[in-house]
């Protein structure tokens, strides 16, 4: 019974196509972020007053390599885009080839049109970002620097970020997937245990479901969870 319009086409660069990764309401309209592809992929942003008609307002110049914006949130009244920018470093091509994660990159905008590349804090070195959330107190980024090295970063304004401590008693064996603002604080979900992916993202066992909650994004408490198959209740830390 729902009525859907035909898909809207995002304008790409003169020599390539467009790929949107995230969208957020903004000043009565919408802002989308992603990348445009040509000889290289470049981070991009689009602006729309109604979700139907879009204009390309920004493309990044990563120099050598590639860039893309994967997440966009409103933090402290400012648009914050988080993605990657850099040169691929991969093992020899063929079966089992692996690539290091591209460096994390951060952009901000006050109007959805002009975007400023921010200096990425050194605490993001070697990190992969899994999710970004915004709330009344600022923003939270979750990710890792490897299968068994989860990390959380917080920011009051989207420009400066602090990597928070990860107590082993709370985050032992944790793999972080999603974070959201809720009830004046934050909720984080993921898993604990399991085996690392053998080839690609989301492959292989993922362990047991897990959740955490925090009032400030810095101090977290493991929540009790119930598995959907057995109904067994696991005790939070």
């Amino acid at each position: 019974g729902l009525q859907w319009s035909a898909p809207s086409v995002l304008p790409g660069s003169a020599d390539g196509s467009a790929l949107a990764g995230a969208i957020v309401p903004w000043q009565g309209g919408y802002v989308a972020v992603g990348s445009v592809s040509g000889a290289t992929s470049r981070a991009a942003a689009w602006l729309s007053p109604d979700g139907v008609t879009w204009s390309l307002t920004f493309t990044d110049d990563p120099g050598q390599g590639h860039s893309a914006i994967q997440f966009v949130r409103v933090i402290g009244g400012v648009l914050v885009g988080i993605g990657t920018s850099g040169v691929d470093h991969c093992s020899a091509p063929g079966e089992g080839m692996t690539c290091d994660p591209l460096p994390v990159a951060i952009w901000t905008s006050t109007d959805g049109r002009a975007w400023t590349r921010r200096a990425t804090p050194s605490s993001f070195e070697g990190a992969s970002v899994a999710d970004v959330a915004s709330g009344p107190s600022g923003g939270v980024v979750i990710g890792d620097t490897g299968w068994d090295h989860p990390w959380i970063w917080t920011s009051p304004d989207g420009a400066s970020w602090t990597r928070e401590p990860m107590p082993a008693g709370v985050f032992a064996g944790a793999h972080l997937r999603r974070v959201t603002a809720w009830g004046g604080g934050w909720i984080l979900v993921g898993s604990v245990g399991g085996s690392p992916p053998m080839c690609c993202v989301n492959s292989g066992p993922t362990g047991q479901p897990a959740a955490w909650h925090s009032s400030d994004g810095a101090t977290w408490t493991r929540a009790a969870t119930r598995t959907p198959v057995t109904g067994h209740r696991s005790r939070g830390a």
Side-chain angles (χ1 to χ4, degrees):
L2 297 176
Q3 299 296 318
W4 293 88
S5 64
S8 298
V9 178
L10 291 176
S13 61
D15 60 346
S17 59
L19 177 65
I23 187 172
V24 67
W26 175 252
Q27 296 182 350
Y30 302 92
V31 167
V33 297
S35 63
V36 292
S37 299
T40 63
S41 62
R42 293 176 288 156
W46 298 264
L47 193 62
S48 173
D50 53 12
V52 177
T53 304
W54 294 85
S55 58
L56 179 65
T57 60
F58 165 76
T59 56
D60 178 54
D61 181 6
Q64 294 182 336
H66 308 273
S67 64
I69 306 178
Q70 297 157 329
F71 305 93
V72 62
R73 304 287 186 265
V74 179
I75 300 175
V78 175
L79 288 161
V80 179
I82 296 182
T84 58
S85 180
V87 178
D88 289 315
H89 294 285
C90 302
S91 62
E95 186 176 354
M97 183 183 74
T98 59
C99 298
D100 295 333
L102 288 177
V104 173
I106 301 170
W107 295 263
T108 61
S109 175
T110 58
D111 60 5
R113 296 183 179 278
W115 291 78
T116 300
R117 173 77 180 270
R118 299 290 182 178
T120 304
S122 60
S123 62
F124 280 100
E125 184 176 353
S128 296
V129 173
D131 199 12
V132 183
S134 61
S137 61
V140 169
V141 167
I142 62 170
D144 61 60
T145 54
W147 168 254
D148 54 354
H149 293 85
W151 288 108
I152 296 172
W153 297 261
T154 61
S155 173
D157 56 10
S160 60
W161 292 87
T162 300
R163 189 168 71 180
E164 302 297 345
M166 304 289 287
V170 180
F171 290 102
H175 315 293
L176 312 182
R177 289 298 186 87
R178 296 289 182 265
V179 63
T180 188
W182 182 82
W186 306 90
I187 296 291
L188 170 62
V189 296
S191 62
V192 293
S195 302
M198 297 301 294
C199 66
C200 28
V201 176
N202 295 330
S203 69
T206 57
Q208 297 297 316
W212 298 261
H213 57 88
S214 172
S215 61
D216 58 6
T219 303
W220 292 82
T221 301
R222 174 84 178 272
T225 57
R226 191 185 303 273
T227 62
V229 176
T230 64
H232 175 72
R233 188 177 182 85
S234 65
R235 206 180 309 169

